[in-house]
Amino acid sequence: MDTAKAKRALKKLAKQKGISKKEIYREMEIAIAEAMTNPEPQAQAFWKSIPHRRGQPTPEDIIAYIADRVKE
């Protein structure tokens, strides 16, 4: 899955939940930031394995990465 498909998935989720895409995105960013603080080596390895361009993976990065892993 590419990040464009992930963006569409976020938009669809927002519509289903009756909230804005911005709100969905922000909640996911908060959850990602919190999850990345887990000191467990396995958790840290997971976060390092996700390709991303910024300091932390975006919701689109994570959705695309997990979707690709599920396909394998």
Side-chain angles (χ1 to χ4, degrees):
M1 173 184 265
D2 59 40
T3 55
K5 286 183 181 179
K7 285 180 183 183
R8 288 192 301 274
L10 288 171
K11 184 177 179 179
K12 185 177 180 179
L13 178 62
K15 186 175 181 178
Q16 287 174 348
K17 297 292 182 182
I19 58 177
S20 71
K21 181 182 170 196
K22 185 176 181 178
E23 191 173 347
I24 290 276
Y25 200 89
R26 181 66 188 137
E27 290 296 321
M28 288 184 74
E29 284 182 320
I30 292 167
I32 293 164
E34 180 66 25
M36 289 183 74
T37 66
N38 184 334
E40 294 293 324
Q42 188 176 16
Q44 290 299 310
F46 171 77
W47 291 111
K48 288 178 183 174
S49 72
I50 299 173
H52 59 283
R53 295 185 189 128
R54 294 192 281 162
Q56 82 177 32
T58 65
E60 293 93 346
D61 293 332
I62 294 168
I63 292 168
Y65 177 77
I66 292 173
D68 288 343
R69 296 283 308 256
V70 169
K71 287 179 185 178
E72 294 175 358

